[in-house]
Amino acid sequence: MRTKRIVLLAALAVLLVCGIYVSVRMSQSAPTYDGTHTDVIELYEHPEEYDNSDADGVAAVIVNENLAKTVSENVVFSVVFNFRGYDTLGESFILIAAIAGSLVILRKSRPKKPPETDEKEAS
């Protein structure tokens, strides 16, 4: 039992360290849209004015025609829930199934109690 707890704590510590490392690396990287430094706030607030002439066809359509096609101002939301809605729904079910399966596997098992006998039957 003690070994399982040590392994669990070690695994959680490794995940925590990896998460912190990745978060720091991501916070130091510059925001990009087309591989160059991009003013993300300007792109979010005025996507129709952003020069995306060197972007490929799909990126240009998503940025330029998003509001007209999806009636959603948030491009990420529209891609995830409008363009890829069924795929996202399937991924959500897979995530829920994985969480439920993990809970079933990792739950604590209770020791079984022996059946109680009535004192009247014993006498």
Side-chain angles (χ1 to χ4, degrees):
M1 185 65 153
R2 183 170 171 85
T3 306
K4 285 183 181 180
R5 186 168 287 171
I6 291 172
V7 169
L8 176 66
L9 290 175
L12 290 175
V14 167
L15 286 173
L16 179 66
V17 169
C18 289
I20 291 172
Y21 174 75
V22 168
S23 298
V24 169
R25 289 290 303 238
M26 287 177 63
S27 70
Q28 294 172 349
S29 65
T32 62
Y33 168 70
D34 55 1
T36 60
H37 184 69
T38 302
D39 185 8
V40 179
I41 296 173
E42 185 67 27
L43 174 62
Y44 180 75
E45 291 177 352
H46 307 289
E48 64 280 345
E49 297 174 6
Y50 187 74
D51 178 29
N52 61 357
S53 57
D54 58 344
D56 64 355
V58 175
V61 169
I62 289 174
V63 171
N64 291 331
E65 300 179 15
N66 176 54
L67 188 59
K69 289 185 182 280
T70 64
V71 194
S72 172
E73 292 184 9
N74 189 332
V75 177
V76 174
F77 179 86
S78 67
V79 168
V80 171
F81 291 104
N82 292 330
F83 294 125
R84 298 187 60 201
Y86 291 116
D87 185 41
T88 303
L89 184 65
E91 290 170 357
S92 300
F93 283 127
I94 290 171
L95 180 63
I96 291 170
I99 290 171
S102 298
L103 289 175
V104 167
I105 291 172
L106 296 176
R107 67 186 168 125
K108 279 189 170 181
S109 59
R110 296 184 183 135
K112 294 183 179 179
K113 296 179 181 177
E116 297 179 14
T117 58
D118 288 339
E119 293 179 14
K120 295 178 182 177
E121 293 177 7
S123 53

